[in-house]
Amino acid sequence: MKLNYLLSSSLIIIILSWTNTSFAQSNTYNRMLNTASKVVRGKIVGSEEVRYDYDEDNKNIVCGQILDIEVTESFKGGNESFRVFASNNDMLIGEEYEYFIIARRNNNASDTPKLAFINCFDEKSTRMDVSYIPYLATSLRQQIFPIVNYKREDIIVDPDTRVAKKGEWLLLVDRIANNTLPYTIARRRFNNGNDDIIEEMRLADFLRDFNIK
């Protein structure tokens, strides 16, 4: 009897812990979406490297990229094209793709040079002039998602389920922050030879669960 009680208690604790983690992560994405200035679907029509001298390595390396975004559908922030600084390069896989983009306004943008700390590639950061960068997509959580559209006539079969893929899916990169997205969003492994991109999730489910219209 005591053993059954302990097992039941442990199971309840595990379920509550998982539920709280998922709820917290959902809230985190809700906050990110609610505070974003831009939530759009668009194309990358140009890019410019941002470089800096990193004292520790004594060499000039790429900090990130400023992307020119042509908006194809706006959920928030308007249809105008805009520029955004991205500090994670593992999702930038080609200008032929459309992307789902979440970006926040750069509060340090101004007509005069202004220094601020900014996150860069490989979890590094630096203090640099950010006055000319209007929007930012820099976070431990993924904010730029490549969109893959599976058309019925293409007959692309999922190797795990052996069912033909269809519809639009967002590619997920290998980040801990994406591990506890709501379980109601359909997700599956993605095998394309890119070790950084590990999963895809259904775009319609993501829009529904976070009430994006």
Side-chain angles (χ1 to χ4, degrees):
M1 185 73 174
K2 186 176 181 180
L3 179 60
N4 288 336
Y5 174 77
L6 289 173
L7 289 173
S8 298
S9 298
S10 298
L11 182 59
I12 290 172
I13 291 172
I14 291 171
I15 292 173
L16 287 175
S17 176
W18 178 85
T19 302
N20 288 336
T21 301
S22 297
F23 182 71
Q25 183 67 14
S26 296
N27 279 347
T28 298
Y29 269 87
N30 275 324
R31 284 197 300 272
M32 188 168 70
L33 289 161
N34 289 336
T35 58
S37 297
K38 298 280 187 182
V39 180
V40 303
R41 178 175 178 147
K43 293 183 176 181
I44 299 173
V45 294
S47 63
E48 172 190 336
E49 286 185 349
V50 175
R51 307 185 70 92
Y52 75 104
D53 294 316
Y54 200 72
D55 294 336
E56 180 182 323
D57 297 328
N58 194 29
K59 61 181 180 181
N60 181 267
I61 63 175
V62 177
C63 177
Q65 296 190 45
I66 297 179
L67 307 173
D68 294 306
I69 306 299
E70 180 183 281
V71 176
T72 55
E73 182 178 5
S74 175
F75 302 98
K76 183 179 182 180
N79 295 304
E80 300 83 7
S81 298
F82 65 98
R83 306 191 87 197
V84 59
F85 177 80
S87 61
N88 295 293
N89 60 352
D90 46 11
M91 79 284 290
L92 305 177
I93 56 178
E95 294 183 7
E96 71 274 16
Y97 284 87
E98 274 194 295
Y99 294 81
F100 183 84
I101 301 167
I102 304 167
R104 67 186 184 279
R105 188 178 299 280
N106 176 18
N107 293 327
N108 290 307
S110 67
D111 293 331
T112 57
K114 193 167 186 179
L115 297 178
F117 279 100
I118 195 162
N119 294 325
C120 298
F121 289 158
D122 302 323
E123 299 180 353
K124 294 181 179 179
S125 64
T126 189
R127 196 163 183 259
M128 57 182 284
D129 176 18
V130 296
S131 61
Y132 64 99
I133 303 173
Y135 295 96
L136 303 172
T138 55
S139 172
L140 294 177
R141 290 162 187 84
Q142 187 172 348
Q143 292 180 252
I144 301 179
F145 302 85
I147 300 173
V148 178
N149 186 3
Y150 297 107
K151 298 177 181 177
R152 189 181 300 273
E153 59 268 23
D154 293 337
I155 314 179
I156 299 175
V157 177
D158 181 354
D160 294 324
T161 63
R162 301 193 180 189
V163 175
K165 296 182 177 184
K166 60 182 179 179
E168 294 186 317
W169 295 69
L170 304 180
L171 299 188
L172 289 173
V173 299
D174 189 6
R175 295 224 192 110
I176 294 175
N178 286 332
N179 288 344
T180 52
L181 280 161
Y183 68 90
T184 46
I185 299 176
R187 294 168 66 176
R188 59 192 177 200
R189 289 188 300 169
F190 185 76
N191 303 308
N192 73 333
N194 187 334
D195 293 335
D196 293 320
I197 299 175
I198 57 172
E199 283 187 298
E200 54 188 3
M201 67 177 174
R202 196 192 309 273
L203 173 57
D205 292 355
F206 183 84
L207 297 177
R208 178 202 64 210
D209 276 27
F210 290 101
N211 197 30
I212 302 171
K213 300 177 181 177

